[in-house]
Amino acid sequence: QLQASGGGLVQAGGSLRLSCAASGRTFSSYVMGWLRQAPGREREFVASISRSGGSTYYANSVKGRFTISRDNAKNTVYLQMNGLKPEDTAVYYCAADSGSNPIPQMYDYWGQGTLVTVSS
């Protein structure tokens, strides 16, 4: 089970940190990802992180502004979002994948989503 939190309303240029806490004792066995879905748009990849945290991947639209990290001791993955833009407004989902693709196309588990709203 994944529980995302940390969303909210922020002005353009501001920052937020999303957290996703996982239950269970196999968190380190999963590639973790953040995806987002804006109103009227398809869900899109934002970032992913390898099981150890040693490798990270980002969508071009967030590269240089967002940072994904994980703490396997705390069963938690984070998304630090800086320099937020109105186009970052979306529901953000964390997800877990047991496969080998560092940028998973499908995920085994999903969190419930947390809303990020960026005002101009």
Side-chain angles (χ1 to χ4, degrees):
Q1 185 175 4
L2 302 175
Q3 183 73 35
S5 62
L9 174 65
V10 64
Q11 289 188 332
S15 298
L16 281 175
R17 188 175 83 153
L18 306 183
S19 299
C20 176
S23 60
R25 291 178 284 182
T26 59
F27 177 74
S28 60
S29 299
Y30 292 90
V31 173
M32 298 299 297
W34 286 97
L35 300 94
R36 67 187 181 186
Q37 187 166 18
R41 301 187 64 177
E42 292 186 354
R43 190 155 49 192
E44 64 176 2
F45 169 79
V46 175
S48 63
I49 187 166
S50 63
R51 292 171 175 81
S52 68
S55 297
T56 56
Y57 305 88
Y58 298 93
N60 287 335
S61 59
V62 307
K63 201 171 294 183
R65 300 187 297 123
F66 291 9
T67 302
I68 188 172
S69 62
R70 67 190 297 164
D71 185 337
N72 286 343
K74 295 182 178 179
N75 284 7
T76 303
V77 62
Y78 304 97
L79 185 68
Q80 178 67 43
M81 305 185 294
N82 299 329
L84 282 161
K85 304 175 181 180
E87 52 263 43
D88 294 317
T89 295
V91 176
Y92 283 72
Y93 299 89
C94 60
D97 179 57
S98 60
S100 59
N101 192 338
I103 305 177
Q105 299 302 301
M106 298 181 67
Y107 289 86
D108 298 314
Y109 303 100
W110 290 86
Q112 85 287 4
T114 184
L115 176 63
V116 172
T117 303
V118 184
S119 63
S120 57

